[in-house]
Amino acid sequence: DVKVTQSSRYLVKRTGEKVFLECVQDMDHENMFWYRQDPGLGLRLIYFSYDVKMKEKGDIPEGYSVSREKKERFSLILESASTNQTSMYLCASGTEGAPPDTQYFGPGTRLTVL
Amino acid sequence: DQQVKQNSPSLSVQEGRISILNCDYTNSMFDYFLWYKKYPAEGPTFLISISSIKDKNEDGRFTVFLNKSAKHLSLHIVPSQPGDSAVYFCAARGNNNDMRFGAGTRLTVKP
């Protein structure tokens, strides 16, 4: 069974703090993705990565950065958290070249920025 | 600008009846379309997909229809069951293997 885990289910941070959201997958997938989910907007792609040390901007990369030092781990970084980054963050992984129906999601991290 | 749109935020149907969830897209380069189901406090899980070269795909109670000329797809659930109550997301795969999602439709199936 594919497993995508996220370091925290719930996180509360203060404005201006640096925030790290960690995602780990155990299926040797090349592709990893970070989305945020907001009511009325669905899932929006923040960043994705095709390989170690590679990253691509999604639709809403502003205010975020990512790090992929190891194949199994993809980190989302909020350099200086702001209240408008309060959201549900979802990580996903998938296999390069495979149909997209093999993209698997983690359970999500609900981040609140006060 | 959202490339994938689900204009109905919610849908309520009676158990045993058909549920029809709709999705529109703007990018004609999308080559694959998917439906995901999401329960509270869980990540989305894949439900059914369709390639852009097909117009229908069926899997048990779930059928997805694709109308490329109208840039429209729909998910039919027949018969609907209370366990189907969830948020359904439509998604489309773009040029770089990345996916775009709609805003979701919350389906409630009443016993």
Side-chain angles (χ1 to χ4, degrees):
Chain A
D1 242 10
V2 176
K3 198 166 184 183
V4 180
T5 56
Q6 295 183 228
S7 50
S8 306
R9 294 300 299 270
Y10 299 94
L11 210 53
V12 179
K13 295 291 181 181
R14 298 225 172 258
T15 301
E17 279 193 79
K18 190 169 186 175
V19 182
F20 291 87
L21 302 181
E22 304 284 343
C23 175
V24 178
Q25 50 95 2
D26 65 359
M27 284 302 293
D28 202 35
H29 284 167
E30 295 87 2
N31 300 343
M32 295 189 75
F33 307 84
W34 273 107
Y35 298 87
R36 61 178 282 178
Q37 181 194 355
D38 300 289
L41 297 174
L43 278 71
R44 292 180 293 167
L45 183 63
I46 305 172
Y47 267 97
F48 55 105
S49 169
Y50 291 136
D51 202 350
V52 175
K53 296 192 186 297
M54 294 186 70
K55 61 183 180 184
E56 296 282 345
K57 292 181 180 179
D59 293 330
I60 51 165
E62 297 78 18
Y64 304 94
S65 63
V66 289
S67 172
R68 192 153 180 215
E69 296 296 320
K70 294 184 178 181
K71 192 175 186 180
E72 68 270 18
R73 188 180 296 270
F74 192 35
S75 303
L76 181 69
I77 304 156
L78 288 66
E79 293 289 341
S80 178
S82 62
T83 55
N84 62 12
Q85 292 178 309
T86 292
S87 186
M88 170 70 83
Y89 289 87
L90 291 157
C91 174
S93 74
T95 302
E96 178 66 26
D101 49 13
T102 53
Q103 181 168 305
Y104 299 93
F105 283 85
T109 296
R110 183 165 293 283
L111 172 66
T112 302
V113 182
L114 302 175
Chain B
D1 185 31
Q2 282 200 290
Q3 299 182 52
V4 178
K5 295 180 182 177
Q6 293 175 256
N7 292 320
S8 298
S10 63
L11 174 68
S12 182
V13 299
Q14 206 65 37
E15 181 179 6
R17 307 294 290 268
I18 184 171
S19 296
I20 300 176
L21 295 92
N22 293 303
C23 178
D24 297 293
Y25 62 95
T26 58
N27 187 345
S28 58
M29 299 301 291
F30 287 140
D31 67 345
Y32 223 95
F33 301 90
L34 305 90
W35 285 94
Y36 281 82
K37 180 178 179 180
K38 187 180 185 300
Y39 293 116
E42 294 182 13
T45 54
F46 168 73
L47 186 60
I48 192 169
S49 65
I50 188 167
S51 165
S52 60
I53 62 173
K54 296 187 174 182
D55 55 18
K56 178 182 175 181
N57 187 27
E58 192 172 351
D59 183 3
R61 297 185 297 113
F62 302 91
T63 303
V64 56
F65 295 93
L66 176 63
N67 182 335
K68 284 186 69 177
S69 61
K71 294 192 177 68
H72 177 84
L73 64 154
S74 60
L75 173 68
H76 292 211
I77 306 174
V78 181
S80 302
Q81 299 174 355
D84 296 329
S85 297
V87 177
Y88 289 79
F89 290 100
C90 170
R93 184 171 74 175
N95 299 336
N96 292 323
N97 231 22
D98 49 302
M99 289 212 289
R100 298 296 186 271
F101 286 79
T105 297
R106 181 177 299 279
L107 173 66
T108 303
V109 180
K110 298 177 181 176

